Amino acid sequence: MPAESKSTTPLAPLILIVTLFFLWGIANNLNDVLMPHLRKAFFLTDLQSSLVQSAFYMGYFFLALPAGWAIQRWGYQRTVLIGLLVFGAGALMFYPAAEFREYGWFLGALFVVASGLAFLETSANPLITVLGDPARAEQRLNLAQAFNPLGAISGVLIGREFILSGVEPTQQELAAMSTAQLEAFQIAEAQSVQMPYLIIAAVVLTWATLVALTKFPPQAQAPEPAARDRLSMREAISQLMGRRRFLFGVAAQFFYVGAQVGVWSFMIRYAQAQVPGMGEKTAAAYLTWSLVAFMLGRFIGTALMSRVCPTRLMGGFALANVALTLIAVFVGGQLGLYALAATSFFMSIMFPTIFASSLRDLGPLTKAASSFLVMSIIGGAVLTAAMGAVSDASGISFAILVPTVCFMVVGSFAWSVSRVPAHDLKAVAAL
């Protein structure tokens, strides 16, 4: 590229978009606290409580392709703005959900939040690449991704401190409560979500205002000039159906997200079941440290990729997680909890590695392919519900076998892709 064509990075737009990675990290991992909290507040089974994640990730599934269409029609900046407005609206819905004390309202609010996040995630990654010098696109993506696990940790801490009450009556104590006492308990538990989500809504809608008022570079404000020369979405989808590596990548991403969401969603439940007497706030601390391990794993894994083929590294990490989840299933106790928490370290590189490996050499099909990879996040809905069903039938320990199978699929994808010569796998670390 000629030197004169290179552009400087516009600082204000970059800060606004990088912060989105932090914000959706908060939203995603608040669910891991909401599941046990709503289970207690509404006296739910594990399968019923898993619908928290099912409703959430259905939003990703249904809105990913419309988000890709919005980018083509209106450009990145307006698509980000749509995502923020929908995200904010979903967060506001938690207030009436708590007032009505209807579980379905909570599920509806989560679906709307995730619908907004689908627009944000589909547009923010490629937008980062056009905000400045193309030669430094990978560096900017690394910076943005570093804020996602920070958001995830913050989400769990917010939930632990401001949503979980620490009040955990036994079945005997609940049975001894009067109707008024039981109602007061449920009202207090339901309303504890209101203030955190109102604050999130205020921040998100303020961010939407800033995005709307900030001047972005031309390539972010409108569709590319050559839009009419691009493949239509239908043509792109038709061609993608013949790409085996891509299709296997979509499947691997489905199973990976299912494993990640399932492990984090049921970690508090697993901890309390395996270590009798452990309170919900103490159990949430294990989830927090697990997310810290996830963040460290991303940095360490990225550094290792300069010496080890990324897909082979992912294969090794998948094998480690198969072993750790089997310890959680068949050994259990404190050791099983440590093993389950440790899986986050090895999960850290899986999403971006699968994403980048699946998109390799797709050229003009890349944008449509990205939408499908975002849609595959529905694995978090399907497989978390499967874990809930297994837990209700056989116990929470055996539910961990679902992530075990998921990591086997990820390992198989890594092995199959590592046999194919890579042109430039350094891009994996940038996603």
Side-chain angles (χ1 to χ4, degrees):
M1 177 179 290
E4 63 270 21
S5 68
K6 294 182 180 179
S7 58
T8 58
T9 300
L11 187 58
L14 182 66
I15 291 173
L16 289 174
I17 301 306
V18 166
T19 305
L20 299 181
F21 290 75
F22 178 82
L23 290 176
W24 77 58
I26 290 177
N28 274 273
N29 288 87
L30 261 175
N31 293 348
D32 302 327
V33 174
L34 275 179
M35 267 187 59
H37 178 73
L38 295 178
R39 182 179 187 274
K40 178 178 65 172
F42 289 100
F43 310 128
L44 306 173
T45 66
D46 285 337
L47 176 58
Q48 289 171 329
S49 68
S50 72
L51 295 180
V52 164
Q53 299 291 19
S54 296
F56 190 80
Y57 288 99
M58 289 290 281
Y60 277 99
F61 180 77
F62 286 111
L63 274 298
L65 282 178
W69 176 85
I71 292 171
Q72 290 189 343
R73 185 171 180 83
W74 296 310
Y76 293 118
Q77 184 180 7
R78 292 180 182 177
T79 303
V80 166
L81 186 58
I82 293 170
L84 285 169
L85 292 174
V86 176
F87 180 5
L92 288 173
M93 288 175 63
F94 275 82
Y95 191 90
E99 289 297 308
F100 296 145
R101 281 184 291 138
E102 289 287 342
Y103 186 45
W105 270 81
F106 283 100
L107 299 182
L110 287 163
F111 178 87
V112 175
V113 166
S115 298
L117 298 186
F119 277 81
L120 293 182
E121 294 205 35
T122 304
S123 56
N125 275 299
L127 177 53
I128 288 288
T129 67
V130 303
L131 290 178
D133 184 356
R136 295 187 176 181
E138 294 182 7
Q139 183 181 14
R140 292 194 297 276
L141 278 168
N142 270 310
L143 172 66
Q145 282 289 347
F147 282 83
N148 185 251
L150 289 175
I153 294 168
S154 299
V156 174
L157 289 176
I158 290 169
R160 179 175 181 261
E161 297 302 321
F162 300 105
I163 293 179
L164 294 179
S165 64
V167 178
E168 302 176 76
T170 63
Q171 290 297 323
Q172 292 77 10
E173 290 171 334
L174 288 171
M177 288 183 183
S178 66
T179 302
Q181 289 174 323
L182 195 60
E183 184 177 14
F185 167 73
Q186 289 189 294
I187 289 173
E189 293 296 315
Q191 291 183 343
S192 67
V193 307
Q194 288 179 319
M195 188 55 66
Y197 275 94
L198 283 177
I199 293 174
I200 289 172
V203 171
V204 168
L205 294 176
T206 299
W207 225 250
T209 302
L210 293 174
V211 169
L213 296 177
T214 300
K215 184 178 180 180
F216 279 67
Q219 61 269 32
Q221 295 173 354
E224 299 170 13
R228 68 181 59 186
D229 298 325
R230 293 199 302 261
L231 288 172
S232 69
M233 185 64 76
R234 180 178 298 180
E235 291 170 329
I237 292 173
S238 177
Q239 292 190 32
L240 286 172
M241 292 303 101
R243 303 293 183 106
R244 289 187 178 181
R245 183 179 65 205
F246 167 72
L247 294 177
F248 197 178
V250 170
Q253 201 71 289
F254 173 92
F255 282 98
Y256 164 69
V257 175
Q260 175 193 288
V261 174
V263 167
W264 291 349
S265 295
F266 283 106
M267 189 171 295
I268 293 175
R269 174 85 173 88
Y270 179 90
Q272 292 187 290
Q274 292 297 313
V275 185
M278 180 178 288
E280 60 184 6
K281 292 202 172 197
T282 302
Y286 280 89
L287 176 58
T288 302
W289 285 110
S290 184
L291 293 171
V292 172
F294 181 83
M295 181 174 64
L296 292 174
R298 177 155 288 179
F299 285 110
I300 294 172
T302 299
L304 289 173
M305 286 178 187
S306 62
R307 299 189 176 190
V308 182
C309 169
T311 50
R312 290 181 182 176
L313 183 65
M314 181 173 68
F317 278 18
L319 183 61
N321 272 356
V322 169
L324 288 169
T325 51
L326 288 176
I327 291 173
V329 174
F330 295 108
V331 178
Q334 189 72 54
L335 179 59
L337 178 56
Y338 286 144
L340 190 63
T343 60
S344 292
F345 179 90
F346 298 102
M347 285 194 284
S348 58
I349 66 166
M350 291 182 181
F351 185 93
T353 305
I354 295 169
F355 203 99
S357 299
S358 303
L359 295 181
R360 195 191 309 155
D361 300 330
L362 290 183
L365 302 176
T366 299
K367 287 186 178 179
S370 296
S371 293
F372 274 95
L373 286 166
V374 172
M375 287 175 68
S376 69
I377 290 175
I378 197 175
V382 176
L383 297 173
T384 304
M387 288 182 69
V390 173
S391 179
D392 288 337
S394 306
I396 187 63
S397 293
F398 287 103
I400 306 301
L401 286 173
V402 175
T404 303
V405 174
C406 294
F407 291 127
M408 289 178 177
V409 174
V410 172
S412 298
F413 173 74
W415 177 77
S416 68
V417 174
S418 66
R419 294 183 303 158
V420 180
H423 294 298
D424 187 9
L425 285 173
K426 289 183 180 179
V428 169
L431 290 174

